[in-house]
Amino acid sequence: MIKGGEQVEVRSKAEILATLDKSGTLDGMPFMPQMFDYCGQRFAVYKNAYKTCDTVSGKYIGLHLDDTVHLPTRCDGKAFDGCQAACLLFWRTAWLKPVTPSGDASAAPVPFPSGGCTEADVSAATSREVDGRKLYRCQATCLLEFTRPLAWWDVRQYADAYRSGNWSIAQILRGLTFLGYTYGTRAHRRKIGAPARWLYNKARFLWGGVPFPRRPDLFPQKKSATSNAVLDLKPGEFVRVKSFEDILATLGKDGSHRGLMFDAELVPYCGKVFRVMTRVERFVDEACGEMRSLKTPAVILDGVVCQSKYSGQRMFCPREIYSWWREAWLERVEPMALAQPDDVQRKTAA
């Protein structure tokens, strides 16, 4: 198993094409056109992608992958008409060569016979017309074609979380303790979980934890939020994420604001300051492959990703999907108001 931090070199275009079938895939995983830009470059492996989460079916269960890693590379959307999701790319280990401690790239041959794929085939496979609709095909939309379901009780995934180098023993134990407490006490349930949530919030100061992140009991009893703060944020501006309590007040009874869910994984970022990375207005819907436009734009904040700390079967997923934020959950911070650079929360992210 390749661990995070190990040095690899992306194989040449010819070597990679030799691993692909005519549809531009290796064992069901598409190699996307923009990935050719990285051929010949060297990277430290960001994380081993032994696991990911199902964002296609809507079940959000865990999925298992073989021989796959994440490099610090994200999709730029250029081959997909400007999709702005910026997904972390999957890399088959067959597309990479290990770099020895002396700095030499392994001369290991391509481990698969040529499937006769060309660069034009890879580009052509990114979309197709169906009944007058343009459907896109990328790693995100094809996720179920190169993964298999991973049951929450399969203990091998927790061993892999450590073996991969993605997580420390302490992080794994904290995660499993949270899951055990949440589901053992029913703390995630609206009514019967109230005592367990109260106890958690009283005790969390002992370890410096965030408030219990799933609070359906505090969702306003209205169908959906109608208020919409318009900050017209631009990339490079600074914002402070509002408090958890203030954000809860903007949600409907389903936990969303104008259709965008406020997920438990966003709670650790409450009250912190970040730089706006980009606005999100269009994206490829992973469930059907169609391009969607947001009626109310959202923003992505620099380094703010799903950490898979509080999400059941998604626990320890290394995919680090960028979180989307409504402007109603943020407040602009002028640069001069920042006491010092450390006020801005940063993280080395792909």
Side-chain angles (χ1 to χ4, degrees):
M1 175 180 285
I2 297 180
K3 296 183 177 181
E6 292 187 22
Q7 295 290 319
V8 295
E9 181 179 303
V10 180
R11 289 183 181 272
S12 69
K13 184 183 297 185
E15 288 177 308
I16 289 174
L17 287 171
T19 71
L20 306 177
D21 59 24
K22 288 292 289 183
S23 62
T25 68
L26 172 57
D27 293 334
M29 180 185 291
F31 186 89
M32 302 190 299
Q34 66 270 39
M35 297 170 71
F36 284 123
D37 294 342
Y38 300 109
C39 287
Q41 295 187 34
R42 293 186 177 186
F43 298 93
V45 171
Y46 185 53
K47 289 188 176 181
N48 185 286
Y50 70 94
K51 177 180 182 177
T52 194
C53 57
D54 177 2
T55 52
V56 176
S57 71
K59 298 178 180 178
Y60 292 99
I61 63 172
L63 300 171
H64 178 76
L65 297 87
D66 294 310
D67 304 319
T68 305
V69 300
H70 292 302
L71 303 181
T73 57
R74 288 186 179 269
C75 176
D76 58 14
K78 292 179 180 178
F80 304 94
D81 291 335
C83 173
Q84 297 169 308
C87 297
L88 196 61
L89 297 172
F90 292 99
W91 292 86
R92 289 292 195 195
T93 54
W95 300 334
L96 309 170
K97 294 188 287 188
V99 175
T100 65
S102 63
D104 297 323
S106 169
V110 176
F112 298 91
S114 175
C117 184
T118 66
E119 187 173 358
D121 292 329
V122 173
S123 296
T126 58
S127 65
R128 58 195 175 96
E129 293 286 337
V130 178
D131 297 329
R133 299 179 301 154
K134 187 173 185 178
L135 301 183
Y136 297 87
R137 178 176 172 275
C138 65
Q139 291 182 342
T141 64
C142 295
L143 192 66
L144 301 184
E145 298 176 24
F146 57 85
T147 60
R148 61 179 182 272
L150 184 60
W152 67 267
W153 42 260
D154 189 338
V155 297
R156 290 174 295 182
Q157 66 185 291
Y158 306 118
D160 286 342
Y162 176 71
R163 291 176 55 239
S164 66
N166 293 355
W167 305 87
S168 68
I169 288 291
Q171 290 172 319
I172 294 169
L173 290 177
R174 283 198 296 269
L176 294 179
T177 299
F178 175 81
L179 283 186
Y181 182 85
T182 298
Y183 293 100
T185 64
R186 301 295 190 269
H188 62 300
R189 302 292 294 273
R190 182 184 182 90
K191 293 183 178 179
I192 65 175
R197 290 192 296 271
W198 178 87
L199 179 61
Y200 182 97
N201 285 329
K202 287 295 183 182
R204 69 183 177 88
F205 298 102
L206 297 176
W207 62 86
V210 303
F212 191 80
R214 298 191 183 278
R215 296 302 305 270
D217 56 311
L218 296 182
F219 292 163
Q221 292 305 294
K222 52 181 182 263
K223 184 176 181 180
S224 63
T226 56
S227 62
N228 184 39
V230 180
L231 300 179
D232 193 26
L233 294 168
K234 301 293 191 298
E237 292 190 271
F238 292 101
V239 293
R240 178 177 286 106
V241 179
K242 291 181 178 180
S243 70
F244 188 22
E245 294 75 14
D246 286 346
I247 291 176
L248 285 171
T250 72
L251 307 179
K253 62 182 179 181
D254 62 349
S256 75
H257 183 281
R258 293 180 175 266
L260 182 61
M261 299 297 296
F262 185 80
D263 188 76
E265 298 296 339
L266 278 65
V267 176
Y269 300 108
C270 288
K272 298 179 180 179
V273 176
F274 300 93
R275 190 191 308 269
V276 175
M277 190 179 84
T278 188
R279 293 176 68 82
V280 181
E281 298 175 331
R282 53 193 279 115
F283 66 98
V284 173
D285 186 336
E286 298 171 21
C288 64
E290 288 188 275
M291 184 68 73
R292 302 290 192 192
S293 296
L294 289 177
K295 295 179 180 178
T296 303
V299 298
I300 290 175
L301 305 180
D302 192 12
V304 177
V305 297
C306 174
Q307 301 179 68
S308 299
K309 288 184 174 182
Y310 309 111
S311 301
Q313 296 185 68
R314 288 184 283 161
M315 183 71 73
F316 309 127
C317 169
R319 194 174 174 188
E320 296 198 352
I321 297 172
Y322 275 125
S323 302
W324 294 3
W325 297 84
R326 289 290 192 218
E327 291 188 342
W329 302 339
L330 309 170
E331 54 189 12
R332 182 181 274 106
V333 177
E334 298 300 331
M336 294 299 293
L338 298 176
Q340 54 186 358
D342 288 345
D343 286 345
V344 181
Q345 307 295 315
R346 288 194 169 190
K347 176 180 179 210
T348 302

